[in-house]
Amino acid sequence: MPFRRLTSLILAASLVVAGCASAPQAGSGGASAVVAAAPARGPFVAAANPLAVEAGMQVLRRGGSAVDAAVAVQAVLGLVEPQSSGLGGGAFLMHFDAATGEITSYDGRETAPAAATPELFYEDGRPLGFGDAVLSGRSTGAPGVVAMLGLAHAEHGRLAWSGLFDEGERLAREGFAVSPRLAGMIAATRGQARTRWADTYFTRPDGGRYQAGDMLKNPDYARTLRELAAGGPDAFYHGRIALEIAAVVAEAPRPGALTAEDIAAYRPIQRGALCRPYRVYVVCVPPPPSSGVALLQLLAMAEATPAIHGGPDDADAWTAFGQLQRLMYADRDRYVGDPGFVGVPVQGLLDPGYVTERAALAAGLAGAAEAGTPPGGVFMGPDATNEPAGTSHFVVVDAQGDAVSMTTTVESVFGSGRMAAGFFLNNQLTDFSFTPTRPDGGAAANAVAAGKRPRSSMSPVIILDQQGRLVGALGSPGGTSILAYNAKALIGVLDWNLSMQAAIALPNLVAKGDGFGADTAMFGPDMKAALAERGISLSPNTSENSGLHGAIWRDGRWDGGADPRREGVARDR
């Protein structure tokens, strides 16, 4: 069955259930929960850097589609926010087609080279330290974002591919002002910011490091964009660019096995979408190897937990939110991986009976949760995946009402710290479990294998109403915390009835294992005391902070939001 037809059937089933959901309760945000009958149309762009937003808006002003604008946004983000994403990385893209109502997900996750083995990150019989693995050539997989955007553009583009890189090429050639956040990353004294590639790129002619406000040029990146514009995605996967990537990966320390042939063999995957109801809405995410199924499971458990509906000023709601996360993460870590290599019990994790059973455990949790046994689930080995910072999210809606919600990454900050053809290479393979088996020999769902895509927490979201009309989109970076960040924003907007900006700006609470990581300074003393009475002691969040961007269609306009923790903006003109 074609992916799009399958998507339509899943969506139709979800809509029937959504029509029976209870209405949202009023929160403290004052925003209307009633979706206007007028179709939701753009232009609208929200992204993590104003220069990237402007590049997308320029394309939309020329009559471009949401996918056209996404190509331009990514091209600029890879230049001005290279710590988070770029041409050398991967992405998941969710697309809404206003004319047909269909939702499609595009998987541009990187793949392990043909020579990869489950012991990829072993040395002398033991796993490498995480930092050593990241900085090695072994950490880089075949980049997927360019091929994925090429596939999406072939199906949904309106403007010529060749005209989508002009702004990125101009900024690379003429220079752009280094932002404060990028300057802070450049100033790091170790890690990927201090490799010989990064030192060459980030050192000014006078010998100092680039600082905020300095003009930074990247002629190599400008050349790459010109070649991409002229030759299409094939220019990336065949010829100079692929050869340069493979050559850099093969350099010491710890050379990797990724070859130009591995890069040429990369193929993006159109997987269809995974959609389920929440309240009177339908939330759609990519299927595995994205962890979108875990986000849907968390929302389903939330709907079965009355305490969570209390609103952002209710300590019981935050407590329930944290406890449900513990259950969700335990299941995600145990079962989710590349469906081409392991059986992921997607339907079992979302089974109503199983969801209700798991949600009932939340109130009694006194520490880390154990994974459950969903229908159809094969109990996999314990997971040893470390998913660090280095990701971005953006949302685009065009004049026809088509939408893109895309999460994009090079994995860690500046990826592996290695550069080729003007951009940083990903360290995406460190998203695999370093330990492939448990003591009794059982395999981890996210173990390394040749050609395999590592599990990802990236979960770009499209939101529909009961009639299948677009009403919103959002997503975030954040490593494993992406699921908590996305869920917070979704509950804030759809359940607590906040504006998108207010929902995004809420404090973050991330509950994995025994601890509760949080934006501790953003929770007031009364809330901290109330949470402590309920057994929740907040510690500073140790994962990448959120970078939520999104919009909800209310009262005939886009109510957009950009995370105040980053440098992005949301614009509808």
Side-chain angles (χ1 to χ4, degrees), residues 314-400:
D314 187 337
D316 287 334
W318 285 106
T319 300
F321 181 52
Q323 298 288 53
L324 293 178
Q325 284 184 51
R326 284 175 158 175
L327 295 160
M328 175 272 292
Y329 277 116
D331 280 359
R332 193 288 299 262
D333 291 352
R334 183 68 70 170
Y335 294 109
V336 177
D338 185 340
F341 291 78
V342 296
V344 183
V346 171
Q347 300 307 318
L349 290 168
L350 300 177
D351 177 80
Y354 179 71
V355 166
T356 301
E357 171 190 313
R358 293 292 279 169
L361 300 175
L365 282 178
E370 294 291 331
T373 306
V378 177
F379 207 65
M380 303 297 292
D383 190 81
T385 300
N386 188 333
E387 192 175 343
T391 304
S392 198
H393 184 84
F394 61 88
V395 170
V396 182
V397 186
D398 65 29
Q400 281 68 44

Side-chain angles (χ1 to χ4, degrees), residues 41 67 247 309 346-347 378 391 416 437 507 571:
R41 296 193 175 107
V67 168
H309 306 309
V346 171
Q347 300 307 318
V378 177
T391 304
S416 67
T437 60
R571 289 177 52 190

Side-chain angles (χ1 to χ4, degrees), residues 2 55 72 219 262 291 341 350 428-429 477 559:
D262 290 317
S291 293
F341 291 78
L350 300 177
Q428 209 64 256
L429 301 190
D559 168 27

Side-chain angles (χ1 to χ4, degrees), residues 1-9 102 270 272:
M1 180 180 292
F3 285 121
R4 289 185 150 200
R5 177 60 178 155
L6 180 59
T7 302
S8 297
L9 292 175
E102 291 180 279
Q270 184 195 82

Side-chain angles (χ1 to χ4, degrees), residues 10 34 107 155 191 203 227 302 341 368 401 507 534:
I10 293 173
V34 178
D107 178 348
E155 298 186 345
T203 300
E227 292 180 7
F341 291 78
R534 291 158 175 80

Side-chain angles (χ1 to χ4, degrees), residues 121-154:
F121 295 114
Y122 272 54
E123 199 166 86
D124 299 325
R126 300 171 58 188
L128 283 170
F130 188 76
D132 289 335
V134 167
L135 294 172
S136 74
R138 304 181 198 177
S139 68
T140 299
V145 67
V146 174
M148 184 205 73
L149 287 170
L151 175 60
H153 179 265

Side-chain angles (χ1 to χ4, degrees), residues 119-453:
E119 290 75 31
L120 175 66
F121 295 114
Y122 272 54
E123 199 166 86
D124 299 325
R126 300 171 58 188
L128 283 170
F130 188 76
D132 289 335
V134 167
L135 294 172
S136 74
R138 304 181 198 177
S139 68
T140 299
V145 67
V146 174
M148 184 205 73
L149 287 170
L151 175 60
H153 179 265
E155 298 186 345
H156 303 290
R158 295 194 193 100
L159 301 181
W161 172 272
S162 60
L164 304 178
F165 300 90
D166 295 349
E167 185 65 3
E169 192 273 336
R170 183 189 70 79
L171 290 168
R173 175 171 37 84
E174 297 179 1
F176 65 95
V178 173
S179 73
R181 189 166 188 272
L182 174 56
M185 303 293 183
I186 291 173
T189 57
R190 59 189 177 86
Q192 295 94 303
R194 291 292 174 168
T195 64
R196 66 177 183 82
W197 295 273
D199 279 341
T200 298
Y201 183 42
F202 291 137
T203 300
R204 299 183 310 217
D206 65 4
R209 303 284 279 191
Y210 280 94
Q211 297 180 2
D214 289 345
M215 296 300 290
L216 177 58
K217 298 180 180 181
N218 190 335
D220 291 338
Y221 192 76
R223 177 189 176 189
T224 290
L225 291 189
R226 286 194 299 271
E227 292 180 7
L228 270 179
D234 280 352
F236 187 94
Y237 292 90
H238 304 273
R240 177 190 72 89
I241 298 172
L243 289 170
E244 285 196 22
I245 294 171
V248 169
V249 166
E251 293 189 35
R254 298 183 177 90
L258 183 73
T259 65
E261 289 74 23
D262 290 317
I263 297 168
Y266 181 85
R267 297 293 183 272
I269 300 177
Q270 184 195 82
R271 294 190 184 274
L274 184 61
C275 300
R276 289 296 187 275
Y278 183 71
R279 312 294 275 163
V280 297
Y281 303 94
V282 175
V283 177
C284 297
V285 296
S290 161
S291 293
V293 60
L295 177 61
L296 295 183
Q297 183 194 36
L298 178 57
L299 291 177
M301 291 191 293
E303 192 155 21
T305 306
I308 211 165
H309 306 309
D313 299 321
D314 187 337
D316 287 334
W318 285 106
T319 300
F321 181 52
Q323 298 288 53
L324 293 178
Q325 284 184 51
R326 284 175 158 175
L327 295 160
M328 175 272 292
Y329 277 116
D331 280 359
R332 193 288 299 262
D333 291 352
R334 183 68 70 170
Y335 294 109
V336 177
D338 185 340
F341 291 78
V342 296
V344 183
V346 171
Q347 300 307 318
L349 290 168
L350 300 177
D351 177 80
Y354 179 71
V355 166
T356 301
E357 171 190 313
R358 293 292 279 169
L361 300 175
L365 282 178
E370 294 291 331
T373 306
V378 177
F379 207 65
M380 303 297 292
D383 190 81
T385 300
N386 188 333
E387 192 175 343
T391 304
S392 198
H393 184 84
F394 61 88
V395 170
V396 182
V397 186
D398 65 29
Q400 281 68 44
D402 292 358
V404 162
S405 183
M406 178 169 153
T407 312
T408 174
T409 187
V410 287
E411 183 53 12
S412 293
V413 172
F414 302 127
S416 67
R418 301 178 181 222
M419 295 186 76
F423 54 84
F424 283 96
L425 303 182
N426 70 82
N427 66 294
Q428 209 64 256
L429 301 190
T430 58
D431 251 6
F432 283 117
S433 175
F434 276 35
T435 305
T437 60
R438 62 179 185 243
D440 65 3
N446 195 37
V448 183
K452 189 175 181 180
R453 297 165 192 247

